[in-house]
Amino acid sequence: MVSNTPTAVDAATADIAVLLILSCCRNANQASENIRSGRWRHGMAMGIDPEGKTLGILGMGGIGKTIAKRMSGFEMKIIYHNRTRLDKKTEEKYNATWVDFETLLRTSDIISVSVPLNKDTTSLLSYREFTLMKDGVVLVNTARGKVICEDALVNALESGKVVSAGLDVFEGEPTVHPGLLAHSRSVIFPHIGTFTKESQKKMEMVALGNLEAALTRNTLITPISEHKKFFKN
């Protein structure tokens, strides 16, 4: 039987998603490169304000909910798509509205990806899906790299369909698509979503708790979803 550390990663991963969203909106990557090269704002594209924009969250689990909570302070309209719709009380708590998958793609100004990787979500966003998105959309991925077809993403960046992409995960990490490395509007991190002292400790404590439960009570505290049916906690 297999366990994982679901809730321990929510806050730190959501923080990275927010950092990527804001960095993409304000063109922070190019700004930093400009000032280090002595160019000030020469040649920089203007950023965009998040206020008043529509944020579409793909995957409204623990991380998605925390992203919604964090971004609610920016006066955005928050929509989401999830394999299971949240109950009304939870939607109201996070000020989030459920929409179908294609509606989210068509109407979001910023898309944040937080879905698990499985056979249904591999290449969830590819060439067809990018054609449905708004021109100038911002795309952020803190889920798993293989959820997005990177060839299609680079094509969308080069055409301007995607104005900026913020990625903490990659299809073949640690290898990164050369088109993403070269593009000035791609904000890329080396999978640091949970790379904080506090989050690592929380993950370790959950893992140790599962180990203790397995050895002393023949159970798991946080089994993966496929194995939850075997446990009654």
Side-chain angles (χ1 to χ4, degrees), residues 37-57:
S37 62
R39 300 177 64 205
W40 201 240
R41 292 200 302 261
H42 181 71
M44 269 188 61
M46 284 189 181
I48 58 173
D49 292 327
E51 287 82 3
K53 303 297 191 301
T54 297
L55 170 63
I57 300 176

Side-chain angles (χ1 to χ4, degrees), residues 151-231:
D151 284 339
L153 173 57
V154 170
N155 181 70
L157 275 167
E158 291 176 347
S159 71
K161 168 64 76 169
V162 173
V163 71
S164 186
L167 307 170
D168 189 41
V169 290
F170 305 91
E171 270 189 302
E173 59 182 68
T175 302
V176 179
H177 194 296
L180 296 173
L181 291 171
H183 204 284
S184 63
R185 296 302 295 270
S186 67
V187 184
I188 50 179
F189 295 158
H191 206 150
I192 59 171
T194 59
F195 197 58
T196 69
K197 294 177 180 179
E198 296 84 355
S199 290
Q200 291 294 310
K201 181 176 181 180
K202 284 191 286 186
M203 293 166 70
E204 290 167 2
M205 295 304 292
V206 174
L208 289 170
N210 276 291
L211 177 61
E212 181 182 38
L215 292 174
T216 61
R217 295 185 278 118
N218 196 34
T219 189
L220 291 174
I221 299 170
T222 56
I224 60 173
S225 57
E226 292 86 350
H227 291 174
K228 286 181 179 178
K229 61 185 177 182
F230 300 116
F231 297 96

Side-chain angles (χ1 to χ4, degrees), residues 7 13 41 55 58 60 64 69 71-72 86 88 92 95 100-101 110 113 119 151 188 199 212-213 222-223 231:
T7 58
T13 306
R41 292 200 302 261
L55 170 63
L58 276 176
M60 200 66 162
K69 180 180 178 181
M71 293 306 298
S72 64
L86 304 177
K88 185 176 180 181
E92 291 175 350
N95 195 29
D100 63 68
F101 179 60
I110 300 165
V113 183
K119 62 181 178 63
D151 284 339
I188 50 179
S199 290
E212 181 182 38
T222 56
F231 297 96

